[in-house]
Amino acid sequence: MKLIRTLAIIAVFVLASVGVYAQGSVTGTLSGTVTSQGAPLPGVTVTITSPNLQGSRNSISGDGGGYNFGGLPPGMYTVTFELAGLQTVTKTQNVAVANSSKVDADLTVATVSEAITITASSPSVLDSPQISSNFQQDAIEKLPINRDPLSVAALAPGVLADAGQSGTSIGTLSANQVQISGSPGYDNLIMVNGVVITENLRSQAGPLFIEDAIQETTVLTGAISAEFGRFTGGVINSITKSGGNQFSGSVRDNLTNSAWGALVPTQTVRTDKVNHQYEGTLGGFIVRDRLWFFGAGRQQKKTADFATVLPPGTTGASPLPYTRLDDEKRYEVKLTGQITPKHSLIVSYLDKKRDLTNTRFTNSIYDLDSLTTQGTPETLASAFYNGVITSNFLLEGQYSKRTLKFVNSGSKFTDLILGTLMRDSSNGNARFNSPTFCGVCDTERRDNHSILAKGSYFLSTPSFGNHSFVIGGEDFHENRYANNHQSGSDFRVNVSSVRLINGVLYPTIDDSSASYIRWTPIFVGANENNLDVKSVFLNDKWDFNSHFTFNLGLRYDKNHSEDGQGVVASDDSAVSPRLTAIYDVMGNGKHRFQASYNKYVSRVIDGPGTANDASGTPGSIDFQYRGPVINPAGTPVNQLVDDHTALQMLFAWFNANGGTSNLDLLHPTGARSVPGFDYFFEGSLKSPSVNEYAAGYGVQLGQSGYAKVDYIYRKWQDFYGLTVTQATGTITDQLGITHDRGIIDNTNDIQRNYRGLQFQAGFRPSRFNVGTSYTYAKLRGNDETETVTSGAFANIPLDSYYPEYAGYARRLPTGYIDNFDIRHQLKLWAGYDVPMPASFGSLNATILHSYHSGVAYSAAGLISVTNYAGAPDIPAYEQSLLGVQNYYFSDRGALRADAVNRTDLALNYVFPIGKVQLFATGELLNVFNNDGVEDLNFIQKSVRTNRNSNCVQASNGPTPGARCLRFNPFTETPVEGVHYQLAPGFGGPTNFQAYQLPRTYRFSAGIRF
């Protein structure tokens, strides 16, 4: 505690020294050692210049020959070393965002007047003590990939990205999520200009960028500095351009048309329409070397073709086609100015407006009434300060804010007929009659803001080498405001089956368990929650000598999480050591070995951290329909009633029998969730964390190449957990419904372990640009903490959730983690600048091959655990909680989707006209039109059990053709065809969206100057 108090006092001093605060992740560092005949050389004047730096900066090498420049805008730098009587040396080096670069120089006695100029630079991947990859956007321009940060990050080893480039999701990562070195999809730090761009609930990265405005992207997958926190995965950090002393700009039109390419198997609907994505940028100076400006804009109207699905057994009808319109506009402005020659300020702002027409919550809809129009405006703002106090002391600071709103997201009606969502229990809850959520009830907000500062001090000593100290602090807040209405009327109705006849939907509503009324009331209006993390960090990059470098870091994070009712879920703290050692074999940067131990602590995420919040949170209470059967089987068509009439009949019966006040109508095994009565916190919830051990080797190849391999082992701990046992007791809500008392806490009875070998290499001989990344990884455990639709939630260990009913091993087995474990992942690209006369312009051809082995999934299904042999009876009020549990009929992760190969080509042509360049790019994606199935959201994984009336015994059963038998999950091993049945087409695609992107053509053209 004494150490923590000391760090806190130092951090307060730093914060008090800065007028505007900084995140410090929008800059890079350049350092090195000056020697003469191998001995440290103090007193050398080191000068750096760059097109990205206003003016120049100078430093004097210290007693140990060391120098350091912090807070540098990323870019290519010229470094000049000068000392009277010695030959002047000039080198160039790229400085990457969130990384440190190194330039050493050995000065000799001047025998001639000419200086020595060395134009080659060492790769920043090898210079940095972090396991990192850096991608310059001008190089990305030539690759046949999307130019957004997540698609670029997918080129790095250890990164598994979502649909960005592939057109489908790998596994079931939620859209705009990534997995880094085995992390959950929600647990990464993704930033633009140092501002977190992920939303609060699922941590999906918002598209808060304009591709032509991006300068570079850095990806950190291991050995990450103490300056970064609130994650257990990794960091993706992109920065945008900043203008300069020369005016520059661009205009681009990106053209796509789904009709230009091939169809995937089973796809039948698409529109022959050209979609345009326009981009424009303009940068320059207002006052040369004092005030720069940069602006950018992006506009796109994109259409996508979809179709409804048909109820089971439908004949003589076709799905209804519909076209979704995505209308989006983005604008960015950025000013970079020098307050004085030693103090600068960067202010940036991005505004995004997006309107979706004919969008839906799920793909499985029966009618066009399920479609809605939705707006999601977002903003991103930051102010960054950089102050050079002395040549060795630097202050940086940033204030940032991100906002996100959901406007008109759901039904336009609130009455019982037009505002009630209907679902077909016989077909995976396919939806019809009304959109999901309410679009006229309220506007949801998901925001974050941050204040962060750091100070950097450089110390060069003759005996103990060079130290680059960084100390800082951050105050990060996430806030969400939502009245989360699940439908316009706050009711959902599940029906037993649906018939589609002559374009009319006829639902069957009977007294079976499949027909019920779900009431989703909001008892307490929304209030804004506050999930706050205050942090202090200390880091020392210690260059002991030419052979040994150490990174010594420590981070302290303190959570304070309050829900909308002011209930404190977490008031916890944690310390994270970050320790790395590098051995340079020859002392010249050619061969480097690295070993590290690091601990990363996540934040308390919205979901588990607000599980007991009643404000704005809907209940979920199921009432059994017991009225006359509506549309029974065998009814003549002229006597059937449509969905609107069926709802009128259902609610007339429901209200006549007391409606929501009649607890005798509660569904015996249905939901009975009332916010504020289901879950509680005992003590303070901890943030999940991970311990990482890593070792690696890097080698520089010639003057322009490198290769690096890293082994990373990670083990997670302090998982979110849910405890519900007899000991936790019960509680009765304001409606008179009895609930089991569930405790949200932390557990280590869950496993998640990652072992990965991450390799990357790059080489640029002559006209070629060759690069590759490869990952061999195993992700094992039984962590089940997120879904595509719900985000993060708590695990339920076997011994903490009524083990007498649900403690059987096959409920939560350990194995390869579903949806995330992929054994092999490869990216290999090669570009070539075709020789051409200068008057003809320039032509570059680039090929990219991508491969990943099949993603893991399991054969798992729901079983009834009520009244099996030897089990105690389950009280009625508990059956909704305990009655149905998951059972793994295969080992976890025993099954695999297809391995996916894809080859993409790009041709980039530039024709100069004076200072103006005309450019055109043509891309051919998936040249060989491979059709691997990779999106688990659209793979048939259903397992039928006795719960399903369509589960019938096969010929090996005691009664072939009869319903599948129940079994005791503690003592019996289920037999396929007797106790369970794989759904027809198991393992195959259920929708054309399961396939990888088919052969696709894309074009872009424009002007640059």
Side-chain angles (χ1 to χ4, degrees):
M1 290 303 296
K2 184 177 180 180
L3 173 62
I4 293 173
R5 286 197 297 269
T6 302
L7 288 174
I9 292 171
I10 297 173
V12 170
F13 171 78
V14 173
L15 291 171
S17 303
V18 186
V20 183
Y21 298 93
Q23 182 135 346
S25 53
V26 299
T27 60
T29 301
L30 177 63
S31 62
T33 303
V34 188
T35 58
S36 181
Q37 297 182 342
L41 185 62
V44 176
T45 299
V46 185
T47 304
I48 60 170
T49 59
S50 171
N52 298 83
L53 180 69
Q54 291 179 334
S56 61
R57 284 176 58 179
N58 301 287
S59 184
I60 305 296
S61 60
D63 292 340
Y67 72 93
N68 181 78
F69 295 97
L72 297 179
M76 187 61 69
Y77 281 76
T78 298
V79 189
T80 303
F81 303 86
E82 298 176 291
L83 184 64
L86 299 180
Q87 199 166 35
T88 299
V89 173
T90 300
K91 294 188 174 185
T92 59
Q93 175 65 44
N94 182 65
V95 174
V97 63
N99 255 317
S100 58
S101 297
K102 188 176 182 181
V103 177
D104 296 332
D106 190 74
L107 275 58
T108 60
V109 177
T111 57
V112 294
S113 59
E114 295 181 358
I116 298 174
T117 300
I118 302 173
T119 58
S121 62
S122 60
S124 62
V125 169
L126 301 182
D127 287 335
S128 174
Q130 303 179 107
I131 300 174
S132 66
S133 302
N134 178 259
F135 302 97
Q136 303 293 313
Q137 200 73 358
D138 57 355
I140 294 299
E141 289 279 349
K142 297 179 179 180
L143 291 173
I145 68 170
N146 291 350
R147 296 168 290 128
D148 62 89
L150 296 193
S151 295
V152 172
L155 295 174
V159 177
L160 178 64
D162 82 317
Q165 174 186 331
S166 64
T168 56
S169 294
I170 301 174
T172 57
L173 276 173
S174 186
N176 299 316
Q177 282 188 338
V178 294
Q179 180 206 89
I180 300 179
S181 297
S183 70
Y186 62 82
D187 211 9
N188 298 288
L189 191 63
I190 305 175
M191 298 181 291
V192 171
N193 289 331
V195 186
V196 174
I197 63 171
T198 49
E199 53 83 37
N200 310 28
L201 195 60
R202 302 182 185 91
S203 291
Q204 296 169 296
L208 295 171
F209 51 80
I210 296 167
E211 289 86 344
D212 270 353
I214 296 174
Q215 179 178 317
E216 65 178 81
T217 297
T218 291
V219 184
L220 308 178
T221 61
I224 301 170
S225 165
E227 295 179 52
F228 299 96
R230 305 189 309 274
F231 65 88
T232 64
V235 178
I236 299 173
N237 195 9
S238 296
I239 63 163
T240 60
K241 299 172 184 177
S242 300
N245 286 330
Q246 300 292 328
F247 289 97
S248 61
S250 64
V251 176
R252 176 196 296 265
D253 183 10
N254 303 280
L255 301 97
T256 59
N257 186 336
S258 61
W260 290 343
L263 290 168
V264 299
T266 74
Q267 184 180 8
T268 58
V269 179
R270 63 178 180 178
T271 301
D272 184 1
K273 182 179 179 180
V274 177
N275 293 307
H276 296 270
Q277 176 186 309
Y278 301 105
E279 298 175 51
T281 67
L282 179 63
F285 65 92
I286 299 173
V287 180
R288 189 182 296 272
D289 267 336
R290 293 297 300 273
L291 183 59
W292 294 346
F293 73 91
F294 180 81
R298 182 185 190 272
Q299 181 180 10
Q300 181 181 32
K301 287 187 177 181
K302 181 171 61 175
T303 59
D305 297 309
F306 298 94
T308 60
V309 298
L310 298 175
T314 300
T315 59
S318 300
L320 298 174
Y322 61 93
T323 300
R324 185 182 69 184
L325 173 62
D326 187 345
D327 185 1
E328 184 180 286
K329 300 177 182 67
R330 307 177 197 175
Y331 305 98
E332 179 185 359
V333 62
K334 190 175 185 180
L335 294 174
T336 304
Q338 281 197 344
I339 304 170
T340 72
K342 291 187 176 182
H343 298 270
S344 63
L345 183 66
I346 302 173
V347 179
S348 65
Y349 178 79
L350 186 142
D351 182 86
K352 180 187 79 71
K353 290 181 173 60
R354 185 185 187 194
D355 294 305
L356 291 170
T357 303
N358 285 346
T359 188
R360 70 279 186 265
F361 179 73
T362 177
N363 293 304
S364 297
I365 61 174
Y366 285 160
D367 60 6
L368 302 184
D369 291 334
S370 300
L371 302 176
T372 187
T373 297
Q374 174 181 293
T376 53
E378 298 180 70
T379 64
L380 194 71
S382 68
F384 174 77
Y385 163 81
N386 186 320
V388 180
I389 309 305
T390 70
S391 61
N392 290 336
F393 183 40
L394 176 76
L395 290 178
E396 298 174 76
Q398 181 165 305
Y399 171 80
S400 65
K401 185 173 183 178
R402 175 194 186 275
T403 68
L404 167 64
K405 295 180 181 179
F406 292 85
V407 182
N408 298 326
S409 181
S411 176
K412 298 179 181 179
F413 306 98
T414 59
D415 62 278
L416 289 177
I417 307 305
L418 297 179
T420 295
L421 168 68
M422 301 185 75
R423 305 191 301 180
D424 183 359
S425 298
S426 72
N427 191 27
N429 286 335
R431 304 180 180 212
F432 61 104
N433 187 67
S434 185
T436 306
F437 306 129
C438 179
V440 294
C441 297
D442 208 346
T443 296
E444 180 176 352
R445 302 192 309 269
R446 301 179 189 178
D447 305 331
N448 71 58
H449 64 276
S450 172
I451 299 175
L452 194 152
K454 75 173 184 178
S456 304
Y457 181 73
F458 180 73
L459 176 65
S460 180
T461 68
S463 301
F464 293 97
N466 304 316
H467 296 264
S468 299
F469 296 104
V470 175
I471 186 170
E474 179 180 12
D475 190 3
F476 179 80
H477 294 262
E478 288 182 302
N479 307 101
R480 182 165 68 95
Y481 172 91
N483 275 310
N484 190 17
H485 293 274
Q486 296 297 289
S487 67
S489 67
D490 285 339
F491 282 96
R492 297 180 172 193
V493 171
N494 268 53
V495 303
S496 297
S497 62
V498 177
R499 280 170 280 183
L500 176 63
I501 304 173
N502 297 324
V504 179
L505 294 168
Y506 300 104
T508 294
I509 306 175
D510 53 28
D511 59 357
S512 71
S513 61
S515 292
Y516 57 89
I517 303 161
R518 173 164 291 179
W519 183 36
T520 58
I522 295 177
F523 293 107
V524 180
N527 287 299
E528 188 174 78
N529 64 23
N530 182 27
L531 283 70
D532 177 26
V533 183
K534 290 181 171 62
S535 307
V536 178
F537 56 84
L538 173 66
N539 204 82
D540 176 21
K541 182 177 177 291
W542 177 18
D543 295 311
F544 180 66
N545 55 34
S546 61
H547 293 285
F548 287 99
T549 297
F550 303 94
N551 192 77
L552 309 175
L554 193 67
R555 184 180 179 94
Y556 171 76
D557 294 294
K558 181 171 181 56
N559 290 310
H560 186 81
S561 300
E562 292 187 10
D563 65 23
Q565 294 179 286
V567 175
V568 176
S570 177
D571 193 15
D572 178 62
S573 61
V575 176
S576 309
R578 311 284 177 91
L579 308 172
T580 300
I582 299 175
Y583 175 61
D584 190 327
V585 178
M586 302 173 66
N588 59 4
K590 299 292 185 181
H591 300 271
R592 302 184 187 186
F593 289 92
Q594 177 175 318
S596 65
Y597 164 72
N598 291 273
K599 181 178 180 179
Y600 312 117
V601 178
S602 181
R603 71 200 195 281
V604 171
I605 194 169
D606 202 332
T610 57
N612 196 46
D613 189 5
S615 65
T617 304
S620 185
I621 306 166
D622 291 345
F623 295 89
Q624 176 71 60
Y625 178 72
R626 295 172 185 166
V629 177
I630 301 173
N631 293 330
T635 303
V637 174
N638 61 354
Q639 297 179 23
L640 294 173
V641 298
D642 63 12
D643 48 359
H644 287 185
T645 305
L647 283 175
Q648 291 173 349
M649 296 169 65
L650 176 141
F651 280 113
W653 170 87
F654 186 57
N655 292 328
N657 286 273
T660 58
S661 63
N662 186 355
L663 299 187
D664 291 334
L665 296 180
L666 287 175
H667 195 294
T669 60
R672 301 185 184 188
S673 171
V674 176
F677 292 88
D678 290 316
Y679 305 115
F680 300 87
F681 298 101
E682 284 191 346
S684 178
L685 194 63
K686 295 181 180 179
S687 298
S689 62
V690 63
N691 287 301
E692 173 193 274
Y693 304 87
Y697 165 72
V699 58
Q700 186 169 340
L701 305 173
Q703 295 296 318
S704 61
Y706 74 95
K708 192 171 190 292
V709 61
D710 295 282
Y711 172 78
I712 297 177
Y713 170 74
R714 287 181 167 183
K715 184 175 182 179
W716 276 259
Q717 60 191 14
D718 292 327
F719 298 87
Y720 300 118
L722 171 63
T723 299
V724 187
T725 65
Q726 296 289 349
T728 61
T730 61
I731 191 170
T732 301
D733 62 34
Q734 71 267 39
L735 300 177
I737 300 174
T738 302
H739 301 260
D740 285 294
R741 196 168 182 267
I743 307 298
I744 300 291
D745 54 10
N746 294 100
T747 178
N748 284 313
D749 292 329
I750 296 294
Q751 297 182 42
R752 188 184 187 104
N753 301 320
Y754 172 84
R755 292 174 173 83
L757 197 66
Q758 301 178 4
F759 173 79
Q760 58 180 310
F763 193 41
R764 294 192 176 189
S766 185
R767 296 179 175 274
F768 288 91
N769 177 21
V770 180
T772 187
S773 69
Y774 168 73
T775 306
Y776 175 83
K778 291 184 178 181
L779 182 62
R780 289 184 58 83
N782 57 355
D783 182 22
E784 298 179 341
T785 56
E786 61 183 323
T787 65
V788 173
T789 56
S790 301
F793 56 89
N795 276 287
I796 306 176
L798 299 180
D799 61 352
S800 68
Y801 188 76
Y802 280 109
E804 65 271 30
Y805 302 111
Y808 51 89
R810 282 285 177 175
R811 183 176 67 79
L812 199 65
T814 298
Y816 296 114
I817 293 183
D818 292 348
N819 311 322
F820 288 103
D821 179 68
I822 292 180
R823 194 70 62 247
H824 304 276
Q825 191 174 359
L826 171 70
K827 304 280 186 180
L828 176 61
W829 61 92
Y832 179 65
D833 295 325
V834 180
M836 295 177 63
S839 59
F840 282 61
S842 62
L843 179 66
N844 171 271
T846 300
I847 185 171
L848 168 66
H849 184 75
S850 305
Y851 167 81
H852 69 77
S853 55
V855 62
Y857 69 97
S858 309
L862 297 175
I863 64 171
S864 174
V865 297
T866 57
N867 303 319
Y868 57 77
D873 291 337
I874 298 178
Y877 75 86
E878 292 179 344
Q879 290 187 11
S880 63
L881 190 68
L882 299 173
V884 178
Q885 298 296 324
N886 207 29
Y887 188 96
Y888 279 78
F889 295 91
S890 72
D891 291 339
R892 185 187 291 271
L895 308 175
R896 298 278 165 170
D898 290 346
V900 172
N901 277 286
R902 175 171 147 183
T903 302
D904 303 330
L905 293 174
L907 289 177
N908 304 277
Y909 177 67
V910 177
F911 183 77
I913 303 177
K915 294 184 179 181
V916 175
Q917 292 182 339
L918 306 180
F919 68 90
T921 298
E923 295 178 340
L924 176 56
L925 310 181
N926 195 3
V927 174
F928 302 106
N929 201 31
N930 294 324
D931 58 0
V933 173
E934 63 175 340
D935 191 338
L936 293 183
N937 293 299
F938 303 103
I939 292 178
Q940 177 59 265
K941 303 187 297 294
S942 297
V943 179
R944 299 170 178 173
T945 65
N946 177 264
R947 294 184 64 255
N948 309 109
S949 59
N950 56 355
C951 181
V952 296
Q953 299 178 42
S955 58
N956 60 326
T959 312
R963 192 163 181 164
C964 294
L965 300 177
R966 299 183 60 186
F967 64 95
N968 186 331
F970 285 92
T971 61
E972 295 181 79
T973 300
V975 177
E976 184 177 359
V978 177
H979 302 101
Y980 72 96
Q981 178 186 62
L982 302 181
F986 184 87
T990 60
N991 188 294
F992 71 87
Q993 293 166 277
Y995 295 92
Q996 68 182 100
L997 186 75
R999 183 185 294 118
T1000 300
Y1001 298 87
R1002 302 191 304 200
F1003 300 95
S1004 63
I1007 301 173
R1008 285 193 290 258
F1009 64 92

